[in-house]
Amino acid sequence: MSEGASVQAVTFGLGDEVFAVSVTLVREILDYAPAFRVPNGPGWLLGLTDVRGQGVPTVDLRARLGLASAEPTLSTRVLIVDVPLADRIVSLGLVVDRVLAVTTFAAERLEPAPDIGMRWRSDYIEGVVREPDGFVVVINVAEIFSREDIDAATFATAA
C-alpha cells in the first residue's frame, strides 16, 4: 500500500478478543434475533435471518473460529457482510458478541499475522494492529469460509 493509505474497518468483540473486518464488506449491522433454523447444516450455521425480504445464511462466528459458545446478550449483533468469491458475491450474517466502532487504521500499522502463537489459522488473518490495550485481529472473511463451506451454507438454507 502507498504511504498514507488507510484501512477502514468495523471492530467487534468475541469474548476478550477484538477483531476487525473491512468496512467495504459490511452491508449493515443488525440487532440480534434468533435465526430461523434449517436442518442438516454445519454446526456453525445458525440458520436464516430475514434481511429486507432476503433469507441470509447466518453463522455463529465464535463456533467457526473455534471459540467457546456464549449466550446472546443485549450487545450481540449480526454483521451482514458481502463475501466476494471468484464467481459471485455471497451475503452472510456473522453473529458477534458486540460491535465496538467503525475505525480507520493507517496501513503501515497493519502487521503480518504471526505463524505461531495464535489460536487461529494465519490464513484467516489479514494482519494485526497493535493498540495500547492489546491487538486487533483483522480477519479475511472470504478465507474463514472455504468455497465448500459457503456452498454448504447456501445449499442448506435453500433446501
Side-chain angles (χ1 to χ4, degrees), residues 63-130:
R64 189 64 185 109
L65 293 176
L67 299 172
S69 64
E71 289 297 316
T73 68
L74 292 175
S75 298
T76 303
R77 297 290 181 265
V78 180
L79 296 177
I80 304 300
V81 297
D82 292 325
V83 182
L85 300 177
D87 60 344
R88 68 187 192 272
I89 294 179
V90 175
S91 295
L92 289 176
L94 304 178
V95 175
V96 300
D97 293 351
R98 63 200 172 283
V99 171
L100 302 170
V102 175
T103 190
T104 302
F105 303 116
E108 62 268 9
R109 291 187 58 211
L110 192 64
E111 302 173 17
D115 285 335
I116 58 171
M118 299 287 286
R119 72 173 99 168
W120 309 282
R121 290 182 15 203
S122 61
D123 56 341
Y124 290 179
I125 302 171
E126 288 185 6
V128 295
V129 177
R130 190 181 309 263

Side-chain angles (χ1 to χ4, degrees), residues 9-95:
V10 174
T11 57
F12 59 90
L14 293 173
D16 295 333
E17 310 291 339
V18 177
F19 295 89
V21 63
S22 172
V23 75
T24 61
L25 300 179
V26 179
R27 186 180 345 148
E28 55 189 301
I29 300 169
L30 305 174
D31 290 337
Y32 175 80
F36 175 77
R37 289 262 195 230
V38 292
N40 301 321
W44 43 263
L45 179 65
L46 297 173
L48 289 174
T49 297
D50 182 4
V51 181
R52 307 192 193 302
Q54 176 188 9
V56 175
T58 302
V59 170
D60 180 347
L61 192 55
R62 281 176 155 274
R64 189 64 185 109
L65 293 176
L67 299 172
S69 64
E71 289 297 316
T73 68
L74 292 175
S75 298
T76 303
R77 297 290 181 265
V78 180
L79 296 177
I80 304 300
V81 297
D82 292 325
V83 182
L85 300 177
D87 60 344
R88 68 187 192 272
I89 294 179
V90 175
S91 295
L92 289 176
L94 304 178
V95 175

